[in-house]
Amino acid sequence: MRVVMIGTGYVGLVSGTCFADFGHDVVCVDNNPDKIERLKQGEIPIFEPGLDQLVSQNVAAGRLSFVTDPAEAVGEADVVFIAVGTPTRRGSGYADLQYVYAVAEELAPLLRGYTVVVNKSTVPVGTGDEVEEIIRRNAPDADFDVASNPEFLREGAAIEDFKRPDRVVIGTESPRAEKLLRTLYRPLNLNEVPILATGRRTAELTKYAANAFLAVKIGFINEISDLCDAVGANVQEVARGIGLDKRIGSKFLHPGPGYGGSCFPKDTLALTQTARDAGTPITLVDTVVASNENRKKSMIDRIVRAAGGSVEGKTIAVLGLTFKPNTDDMRDAPSLIIIPGLQELGATIRAYDPEGMEESRQHFSDVDYRGSAYECMEKADLAVIITEWDEFRALDLERVAGLLNDRVLVDLRNIYKRAELEGTGLSYFSIGRPDVTAGK
Ligand code: UDX
């Protein structure tokens, strides 16, 4: 089928490329000429493992191309996806839909023949109705339907999540649109992936409900980890004990410094805003949003305690800046709260992150960036692991102890086990594991 993907951010570029890899003809459109030029040169503007190779394979196969002008492709398309950003509008929890609406207005007069316009962007319930209205107004004779097809991609695992999804959700009231989208996703039938056909508003809400529930699950285990610290329990063993219950499941039960990223923070705010506007506030998610923000700040106190009560004049080696491993994304990353908080208390910050330092320089010019974890820790007073990159999982802990003046390692991702720490000379602090935390 002929597919147009409007927006080449992390959702649009991954989705467009994977549709091409399914064998469809895909044209990705972006109004940023530099981005399109770089993509034409095979340069991928985001860090997503495996994406560069998948893009070049499909460009070489002639199934994937990049343009700036939608008029070059929309007319021939069977399906046009809207995959542009829906950031949180400043000062409110509302998703900013100006880019979605602008695309709808621009593509309307370009439609030829029956076309399904699909919101792939995460959009509040009812946005599909508005997109349909905009297109109808700008192209009264167009033969089209508007559907919702939310993505459930994790950064760093987006290709895997697209090609082997737990489910595909197709939201439309039009049997014609449903049939066409089922054809589009037919390659997934091979793995018997469930394709759920729902109403458009149901699909829109499903996306928010999924992300909000995952955020609540993380918020839950984070607060349980604090209780574990207080009562002498081990949060990893509690997580295993509850996660073996199939009704709970073991995924997303890793405590950390608080969730970040381009989705959970934005989507939880948008959902609670929609709920308040509908007169049915979702107070649970409101509470998790507040709890998560407080948690990032509470990590500062935890680090100060591990440092012996003050970080004034201390040099702290921060390992990991991105909101999670295998991405260069720092949106709402805990490091954005933790680093300034430590600096305000008089600490000097050094940092190393395998992929995030370029992005970090946009935020922090007064951080001393180093080329590796060990170089970052050399003659620092203490070290803090904020992001659980694989390369922080097998550090030579005796060497680490020798590098750090105070021999203190604060691990906000519970990477190391007690057995690995014995005899290293490190004072090790983690979260929710008082039986593993040793030292001062
Ligand atoms: C998320 C959803 O997983 C994905 O389905 C949706 O489409 C987009 O949002 P993403 O934000 O890329 O994906 O990352 P994810 O792996 O979900 O992690 C989100 C945040 O939760 C990260 O900050 C991560 O560190 C944190 N997290 C995740 C935990 O703190 N503990 C966990 O157990 C899992």
Side-chain angles (χ1 to χ4, degrees):
M1 291 173 71
R2 294 161 304 178
V3 177
V4 167
M5 186 66 64
I6 300 183
T8 59
Y10 126 78
V11 170
L13 185 56
V14 170
S15 304
T17 305
C18 289
F19 276 128
D21 212 47
F22 283 168
H24 298 302
D25 290 322
V26 179
V27 180
C28 287
V29 184
D30 199 298
N31 61 9
N32 178 332
D34 298 342
K35 202 183 221 187
I36 290 296
E37 205 36 54
R38 285 167 66 188
L39 284 164
K40 282 180 173 172
Q41 305 304 324
E43 218 188 295
I44 307 301
I46 53 172
F47 177 81
E48 183 61 47
L51 185 58
D52 47 357
Q53 192 187 348
L54 207 62
V55 167
S56 53
Q57 277 166 358
N58 283 281
V59 168
R63 291 191 295 260
L64 178 63
S65 59
F66 301 99
V67 299
T68 51
D69 180 0
E72 290 186 45
V74 168
E76 289 73 48
D78 301 303
V79 191
V80 178
F81 281 92
I82 300 177
V84 293
T86 55
T88 302
R89 204 176 330 142
R90 291 208 180 295
S92 81
Y94 289 102
D96 183 347
L97 298 171
Q98 61 171 309
Y99 308 109
V100 170
Y101 295 158
V103 166
E105 200 164 326
E106 185 182 17
L107 72 83
L110 305 174
L111 296 172
R112 301 284 178 275
Y114 179 61
T115 311
V116 179
V117 178
V118 186
N119 278 330
K120 174 80 58 189
S121 301
T122 302
V123 291
V125 180
T127 303
D129 306 352
E130 185 59 32
V131 167
E132 185 171 318
E133 178 49 41
I134 291 170
I135 295 175
R136 184 82 59 219
R137 197 166 55 239
N138 287 279
D141 304 330
D143 181 14
F144 72 100
D145 283 307
V146 174
S148 163
N149 173 223
E151 49 82 20
F152 300 100
L153 310 178
R154 289 166 298 158
E155 289 190 24
I159 293 171
E160 172 70 12
D161 286 349
F162 192 99
K163 293 192 150 191
R164 273 167 283 286
D166 290 333
R167 75 310 201 181
V168 172
V169 175
I170 293 173
T172 177
E173 275 67 28
S174 152
R176 213 175 159 197
E178 179 189 335
K179 184 167 180 294
L180 189 141
L181 291 175
R182 282 183 181 278
T183 306
L184 181 73
Y185 279 103
R186 193 165 43 216
L188 287 178
N189 291 354
L190 223 56
N191 321 350
E192 293 171 357
V193 170
I195 296 193
L196 307 183
T198 72
R200 193 163 58 198
R201 287 174 164 248
T202 299
E204 290 166 339
L205 184 53
T206 300
K207 167 67 187 177
Y208 280 106
N211 267 8
F213 186 81
L214 290 169
V216 167
K217 196 171 181 185
I218 293 166
F220 177 77
I221 200 64
N222 280 340
E223 294 202 348
I224 289 286
S225 81
D226 289 346
L227 178 57
C228 287
D229 275 325
V231 301
N234 179 302
V235 68
Q236 286 176 320
E237 291 166 24
V238 169
R240 181 162 161 66
I242 63 174
L244 287 169
D245 180 328
K246 287 189 180 47
R247 295 169 301 173
I248 296 174
S250 55
K251 293 253 174 68
F252 277 57
L253 283 175
H254 304 292
Y259 60 74
S262 60
C263 297
F264 286 174
K266 167 175 79 70
D267 294 351
T268 45
L269 285 177
L271 176 67
T272 51
Q273 195 65 56
T274 299
R276 261 192 296 283
D277 293 352
T280 54
I282 301 187
T283 57
L284 257 182
V285 179
D286 281 320
T287 305
V288 166
V289 168
S291 163
N292 192 63
E293 279 317 297
N294 293 335
R295 182 168 191 80
K296 293 176 186 173
K297 296 180 192 123
S298 73
M299 294 297 119
I300 298 163
D301 302 335
R302 193 177 277 269
I303 293 162
V304 170
R305 281 200 304 276
S310 165
V311 292
E312 173 78 40
K314 296 269 187 193
T315 297
I316 302 177
V318 168
L319 301 183
L321 297 162
T322 53
F323 83 94
K324 62 181 267 193
N326 299 318
T327 182
D328 56 358
D329 197 340
M330 279 186 64
R331 282 175 282 189
D332 279 297
S335 59
L336 294 175
I337 301 289
I338 294 171
I339 288 177
L342 293 171
Q343 289 172 321
E344 273 158 37
L345 296 173
T348 300
I349 303 294
R350 282 196 211 146
Y352 167 69
D353 184 291
E355 293 295 337
M357 291 196 284
E358 191 183 326
E359 168 78 14
S360 181
R361 286 190 176 90
Q362 316 301 318
H363 298 279
F364 305 121
S365 52
D366 52 357
V367 165
D368 176 2
Y369 298 99
R370 296 296 177 94
S372 75
Y374 292 120
E375 193 197 326
C376 187
M377 289 188 279
E378 191 161 357
K379 296 206 178 359
D381 294 307
L382 60 146
V384 181
I385 297 175
I386 297 186
T387 313
E388 68 282 24
W389 282 93
D390 284 348
E391 62 183 85
F392 301 154
R393 290 182 179 281
L395 294 172
D396 172 344
L397 296 179
E398 282 187 52
R399 181 177 171 192
V400 168
L403 291 172
L404 296 171
N405 301 333
D406 297 353
R407 295 172 173 263
V408 170
L409 174 60
V410 182
D411 175 4
L412 300 182
R413 296 291 184 167
N414 287 348
I415 292 174
Y416 290 98
K417 301 202 177 322
R418 190 217 314 257
E420 298 165 293
L421 292 153
E422 266 148 28
T424 62
L426 269 179
S427 288
Y428 175 81
F429 298 86
S430 62
I431 48 176
R433 301 189 304 165
D435 53 324
V436 180
T437 296
K440 293 171 187 158

